[in-house]
Structure formats: C-alpha cells, structure tokens
Amino acid sequence: MQKFLTDPPPFLFFTGKGGVGKTSIACSSALFLAEQGHNVLLVSTDPASNIAQVFNTKIGEHITNIESVKGLSALEIDPQAAAKAYREKILSPVRGKLPDAVLNSIEEQLSGACTTEIAAFDEFTALLTDPALRQTYQYIIFDTAPTGHTIRLLQLPGAWNEFLEQGLGDASCLGPLAGLDKQRKTYAQAVDALSDPEQTRLILVARAQASTLDEVARTHIELSHIGLKDQFLVINGLYPQQDIKEDALANAIYEQEQQALLMMPATLKNLHLDKLTLLSNSLVSLDALRKLIATSVDLSFEHDIKNTKKETEKVQSAPIIIDNEAHHSLVCLIDELDKLDHGLIMLMGKGGVGKTTIAAALACELAKRGHNVHLTTSDPAANLSATLHGTLENLEVTRIDPEIETTRYRQKIMLSKGKHLDSAGKALLEEDLRSPCTEEIAVFQAFSQVISEANKRFVIMDTAPTGHTLLLLDATGAYHKEVARKMETKQISFSTPMMRLQDSTLTKVIIVTLAEPTPIQEALSLQADLQRAGIEPWAWVVNNTLSLHTLKAPLMLQRVAQQQSYINAVKQQHSQKYAIVPLQAIEPVGVNALQKLCALPA
C-alpha cells in the first residue's frame, strides 16, 4: 500500500508540474478507494481536464456517476460554465427590478477573467464546505491544474477571507449583490478544511528530474506557508533498472533519475515518500489504473516487467511499421521563421511536453542568426533562466511574474486614477486594488504589452499549460469584445491583442505535444479551441520521440512502437506543418545544448 493512501483524510489533493502523472495517480486512487467500498467523488479543477478520457465517460460540470466503477462519481469544474452560472445567480433576482442600464453595467462588471476565476473558485470552496457532499462521499479527490494555477487556487480562500475580513469589497467583481457575509463564512471554512490534516492531505507528484524536483520543493514551501502541512511526495515513472538490457538511452535515463533523487532538495527529504515505476502502457483503462495503484511498488514493477516482456515479444513478432519518409526537424521551422524579421511565436500545449525547452531552443537559434529576440513566459512555474543557463547576444529573457506585475499595476492605478482623489478616496481605491482579482488584470496587461512588441522584433512566448493559457486567451477575447463594442459607435479604427493573435502574418502558434494519447488528445482540443477563437495554429512539434535511437530495452521498444502511430497521425491528419524532436539522453540545458537540439535530424 502506498503511504499516501494509508488512512487518508476525506480531501485528497494531487498537484505537481504538468506531465508528471497527477491525473493518472488521482484516477487510480479514486478507483482504488471506490473498489474498497467507499463512495468517492473525483473532481478536476484543471480547465484542460482529461479524466473523461481516462474513464471513457462524458463528465462535464455536473456530478456524474462512472458507470463502470461502483461508488465512483466525477466532476469537471468548467470555468466558463461556472462563470455563466455565477453571473446568472447575481443577475436573475434583479431582472425586471432594476433599469436596463444598471443591469448592463453589472453584467459588464462580471464579464472579465477575474469573474471566471472567482466563479470556478466558488465551486471549489463549496466542495470543501458542503455538508451534504461530505455525507454522500467518504472521499473527495481533487485532480488539480499544473502547479502555478493550483497554488493560486489554494491560496485564494485565505486571500479572499483576508480581503473580506477588512469589511470592504463592494467595488470588487464579487458584486454588490453576492452576499459577502455568506462568502466570508464559506472562505473561512475552506481555509480551516485546507489547513486541517484530519480533513486534507496534499500529494505532490513529481518525476525524478532536477527541474521538476526543484519546482515541487517550491510548491511544498509555498503551500506549507498557507497551512497545508500534511504533504506526501510521489516520484512517478522511475525507469526500472532490470529493463535496461545494455540499452544506452535507457541506461542514461536511469542514471539521471538516480542522480536527481540523490540530489533531491533537502526540504523534500522529510516528506512521506512513495516511488512508482514507469509502466509500459498508457493509463487510459481500468486495468492499467489498477496496476498503477493496487500493488506495492516492487510488485507492480515485477508485474510490469513481465507484461512488458510479453508485449515486447508481440512487438518483435509484428515488426514496427516505421514511416520511411524523413520527418521534419526543428530546423525546418526555424528556416521559415528566419525569412521574417519580427513576429509573435507562442508555444502552447499540455504541461510537461517540453514547451519551455522548445521555446528556448527557437529563441537561441533565431538570436544566433542575428534576429532581435525577446523570450518570455506566462507560466508562473516556468524557469527560463535555468533552461538557458547563460546569455546570448540579441536575446532578452523576461518572465511575466504575477506578483511583480500586480505591484506594478497597483502603483500605476494609484498614480493615475488616485491622483485627484482625497485621502478617503485613495484609501478606498487602495483597498479595492488588494482584491485577488487584481492579479488577473495585471497579468493580462503584461501579456498585452508583450504582444505589442511583436511588431518590431521576435517575441517568443512560453505559455502556461493549456488550461491556464485558455483562461488568458479568454480574458483577451473579453477585452476585445468590450473595446469593439465601445468603438463601434465611434467608427474609430482600433487594434486589440486578440486581433494581433488572429493575424497569421504576425502570430505563429506552435502546439507542442508528445507522441502519447493524452498529450495528443489535449493538443487536438487546444487546436479546436484556438480555431473557434479565430486563431489557426501554425505548426506542431512532437517532442521526445524515440524513433531515431537504437533501442534494446523491452520497455523502450514497446514505447517506440506506440509512438509511431501518433507521429503518423500528426503528420497525416492534425497539421500540415510539423517537426519531431528526438528524446535526449541528457536534458538539454544551456545555450549550446539548446542550439544542438535545433540542429538534430528528425
């Protein structure tokens, strides 16, 4: 039995960097507890949730029974649906009682991205505090969004509680009709639940990679500061030593993982630790989920090795069908970009697919070719400096830091709107700017500023994992609608960030993925969302492919066979322009390693 499932409290939160296996372990845990006879509710707070794919059941924003598992229900918190319901909850009681102009004003006030976040957060706190749910379900398991988004979600109960404790908030996006006393009580209860080890356990999920362990260490500290003390650590996907079989790539991966574990940040070493081995199959079936969680680590390892050998025999008896036509490499995309002298290049995709590495590699190569390049990130958890580990002429590196941008925004507003206010008015404005919503506005403004630079030089943006990025684009779309509505009557030409994103001559969106089912499915969903917003992706990059390596390890042979069909699907169905990037034995860190990545054949 894994330690994190021993005597669990009613609320279990799984969090970590994108791509480390949070969803698989959360789903496996939910399945395990349900099959022990408990009623379990599995909740995704990730705007790009894929638990529906794991259980092959349409779920959505209402609690849905998973028919194939007795006792298991699931819910996906949809920020857009939550925002719509939130607006309706406020507006419906006063329709017909207030003038249309007042209703329109309230509706406009509730149309921003901060309302979307607050609405989703409202649902989240309700799950922690609803006594009826506690009576129905013995366990509520949260599969959260990648780290940065989750830290903010878990910090919000305390932030809003503190804000409301000050007795203000009338001008915030909660709205004057939202019932602040009720909100205050709910948020205080949520804070109590999160900080009580008898009620809440946080499971940090990581891979044995230095950058991932560093990020999870920062998460551990930040969430400890807000009272989440009962924390466990799961190292997922460790390469099994017995499977190496003189395979150079497998051996390099194993050695790197062991080194990363040896050098693990000291702050993590006191946590309860579980280790899970890399499995041969994608975890999108009940049997695969049971295998991950229902046996001890050693047994699951041995079991998987046996299965892997059987599967490998099948693979070897049925030769791998490799597309003989050469694939495109990263340099093919760079050669096309090199013909331009400016533009916005946005790297998007699921967490953990390598967006930061590919963004940094593109930036290094374009700067090396003499272009003026600004490399930046909107991912709160990204660390571009650690990836670059050096400087390069023509290359500026920045980060949209929510905390810094919020401070800057508050100062700007106080200098402009507060300039002519009296002391009482300034105090009121200062209080309003302490609202947690201010961060969303500040980040959007910084994002818009970066986009505007793309008219003069290359701006390469490493975005946050899909769900968070979609919320940022939603804010961009809401701002565009507001500007368009105001300008429509004045007949004045204007340009918004959304219009720049939709301009294919200026903006190139590159979707980064892995040749695995969940990243591919999320990439397809992202592509569809972008197309609905009028943004046509420019290219796909399939990262960490194995097809160029000489492989001997059974696990590697099975995985390369599985990858091939996904690579072919990208080439033949999903994108007219694509590149594949081989998995590196050593993680590409530093300017030289990143430039070599661009030069690799595909």
Side-chain angles (χ1 to χ4, degrees):
M1 170 67 71
Q2 281 74 18
K3 297 184 183 72
F4 67 88
L5 281 178
T6 302
D7 298 325
F11 299 122
L12 296 172
F13 283 83
F14 290 84
T15 190
K17 192 174 185 293
V20 296
K22 293 183 299 296
T23 297
S24 296
I25 298 175
C27 291
S28 297
S29 301
L31 175 64
F32 172 77
L33 291 170
E35 292 187 335
Q36 298 297 306
H38 303 291
N39 287 329
V40 180
L41 177 60
L42 176 62
V43 181
S44 173
T45 66
D46 188 345
S49 168
N50 55 33
I51 60 174
Q53 183 190 10
V54 173
F55 288 105
N56 194 26
T57 301
K58 185 177 180 181
I59 298 174
E61 67 268 25
H62 300 292
I63 293 177
T64 303
N65 293 332
I66 304 297
E67 296 297 337
S68 55
V69 184
K70 184 182 178 183
L72 179 59
S73 302
L75 167 69
E76 294 171 319
I77 295 180
D78 179 342
Q80 299 305 323
K84 184 178 179 182
Y86 187 83
R87 281 191 291 271
E88 189 57 27
K89 184 173 72 175
I90 292 175
L91 290 169
S92 60
V94 294
R95 278 206 179 89
K97 299 176 183 176
L98 295 177
D100 287 347
V102 176
L103 285 174
N104 290 338
S105 175
I106 295 173
E107 191 163 18
E108 185 177 331
Q109 188 184 7
L110 295 171
S111 64
C114 50
T115 300
T116 305
E117 182 181 64
I118 289 300
F121 163 71
D122 217 33
E123 288 203 7
F124 163 69
T125 51
L127 292 168
L128 289 172
T129 57
D130 187 338
L133 282 178
R134 292 287 297 273
Q135 287 183 348
T136 304
Y137 299 102
Q138 283 81 53
Y139 298 105
I140 300 181
I141 295 178
F142 292 88
D143 170 34
T144 69
T147 309
H149 201 213
T150 298
I151 289 175
R152 176 157 171 76
L153 181 73
L154 295 175
Q155 286 174 335
L156 278 172
W160 274 112
N161 191 46
E162 183 181 339
F163 183 68
L164 294 173
E165 282 289 331
Q166 296 167 6
L168 294 173
D170 285 349
S172 77
C173 65
L174 276 173
L177 305 171
L180 295 184
D181 285 338
K182 183 181 176 183
Q183 301 289 358
R184 182 183 299 123
K185 183 180 177 183
T186 301
Y187 298 164
Q189 288 176 343
V191 171
D192 290 342
L194 287 173
S195 58
D196 181 1
E198 296 295 319
Q199 297 189 65
T200 298
R201 177 173 294 173
L202 180 75
I203 297 100
L204 300 162
V205 184
R207 290 294 182 105
Q209 299 165 343
S211 59
T212 307
L213 290 169
D214 287 343
E215 182 176 322
V216 88
R218 290 194 296 273
T219 304
H220 162 61
I221 293 170
E222 287 195 50
L223 294 180
S224 294
H225 286 164
I226 61 172
L228 274 158
K229 302 292 186 186
D230 190 30
Q231 298 189 16
F232 287 63
L233 175 62
V234 177
I235 305 294
N236 189 31
L238 285 166
Y239 200 92
Q241 185 180 18
Q242 290 87 334
D243 184 81
I244 293 175
K245 309 296 182 190
E246 300 181 347
D247 184 309
L249 181 62
N251 185 60
I253 291 171
Y254 174 80
E255 293 294 337
Q256 277 194 81
E257 289 180 342
Q258 297 306 308
Q259 181 67 17
L261 291 177
L262 189 66
M263 303 301 290
M264 186 163 65
T267 187
L268 297 178
K269 291 184 177 176
N270 292 328
L271 297 181
H272 306 286
L273 176 63
D274 288 293
K275 296 179 183 177
L276 303 179
T277 56
L278 182 67
L279 299 181
S280 54
N281 295 317
S282 298
L283 296 170
V284 289
S285 70
L286 295 185
D287 284 343
L289 293 174
R290 291 188 186 103
K291 188 164 65 177
L292 177 65
I293 210 74
T295 57
S296 70
V297 172
D298 289 339
L299 287 177
S300 74
F301 161 74
E302 291 174 0
H303 178 69
D304 192 55
I305 289 298
K306 288 176 184 174
N307 283 346
T308 300
K309 287 180 177 176
K310 292 178 184 174
E311 293 299 323
T312 303
E313 288 170 1
K314 291 180 188 175
V315 169
Q316 289 172 335
S317 61
I320 302 169
I321 301 172
I322 300 290
D323 188 342
N324 290 324
E325 185 179 339
H327 292 293
H328 297 157
S329 66
L330 208 53
V331 76
C332 298
L333 301 184
I334 294 170
D335 286 344
E336 286 201 42
L337 295 171
D338 189 27
K339 297 171 185 173
L340 310 171
D341 61 5
H342 69 277
L344 173 65
I345 303 165
M346 297 184 72
L347 285 297
M348 297 187 184
K350 185 181 188 313
V353 297
K355 293 185 297 296
T356 301
T357 298
I358 301 299
L362 291 176
C364 285
E365 184 60 22
L366 286 172
K368 178 188 168 189
R369 296 188 185 191
H371 294 285
N372 184 0
V373 180
H374 179 188
L375 172 63
T376 188
T377 179
S378 61
D379 185 352
N383 194 341
L384 287 172
S385 298
T387 303
L388 281 168
H389 202 61
T391 59
L392 199 61
E393 191 177 357
N394 303 324
L395 177 60
E396 180 188 3
V397 182
T398 65
R399 173 172 177 255
I400 298 178
D401 184 306
E403 192 172 336
I404 293 173
E405 296 304 334
T406 302
T407 300
R408 186 178 294 153
Y409 177 77
R410 285 174 178 149
Q411 291 171 344
K412 178 184 171 185
I413 295 298
M414 288 306 299
L415 284 174
S416 56
K417 294 189 175 180
K419 186 166 65 174
H420 301 297
L421 297 176
D422 58 19
S423 57
K426 287 182 180 177
L428 188 62
L429 182 59
E430 281 181 343
E431 293 291 352
D432 196 47
L433 288 172
R434 287 181 198 148
S435 157
C437 289
T438 303
E439 179 177 310
E440 290 299 309
I441 300 168
V443 168
F444 168 68
Q445 291 224 338
F447 174 65
S448 302
Q449 179 62 39
V450 166
I451 289 177
S452 68
E453 289 183 21
N455 288 317
K456 298 177 181 175
R457 59 174 172 168
F458 277 114
V459 175
I460 299 180
M461 177 169 282
D462 165 37
T463 67
T466 310
H468 206 193
T469 297
L470 290 177
L471 291 179
L472 188 59
L473 292 178
D474 180 55
T476 310
Y479 176 75
H480 171 78
K481 288 178 184 173
E482 183 183 346
V483 172
R485 184 176 59 80
K486 290 180 177 176
M487 294 297 174
E488 192 174 21
T489 54
K490 297 179 181 178
Q491 296 185 333
I492 299 174
S493 63
F494 62 93
S495 177
T496 66
M498 178 55 81
M499 293 164 72
R500 295 188 185 99
L501 294 178
Q502 292 169 333
D503 180 357
S504 61
T505 63
L506 179 70
T507 299
K508 314 285 188 224
V509 172
I510 298 175
I511 293 179
V512 184
T513 188
L514 303 177
E516 298 173 11
T518 301
I520 290 286
Q521 184 58 46
E522 192 164 311
L524 286 170
S525 298
L526 171 63
Q527 180 156 274
D529 285 333
L530 290 169
Q531 288 169 337
R532 277 193 290 273
I535 302 168
E536 187 63 41
W538 181 66
W540 282 41
V541 170
V542 186
N543 195 21
N544 290 347
T545 62
L546 294 169
S547 54
L548 273 188
H549 295 278
T550 302
L551 302 170
K552 298 178 180 176
L555 196 56
M556 287 291 189
L557 287 170
Q558 190 177 352
R559 292 178 76 86
V560 72
Q562 292 170 349
Q563 284 188 350
Q564 193 59 43
S565 63
Y566 294 105
I567 293 172
N568 289 340
V570 170
K571 174 183 177 181
Q572 295 164 7
Q573 302 170 31
H574 306 326
S575 181
Q576 294 183 342
K577 198 185 303 289
Y578 77 102
I580 69 172
V581 179
L583 176 68
Q584 300 301 290
I586 298 175
E587 189 177 3
V589 172
V591 171
N592 290 337
L594 292 166
Q595 288 180 334
K596 286 179 182 174
L597 193 68
C598 295
L600 287 172

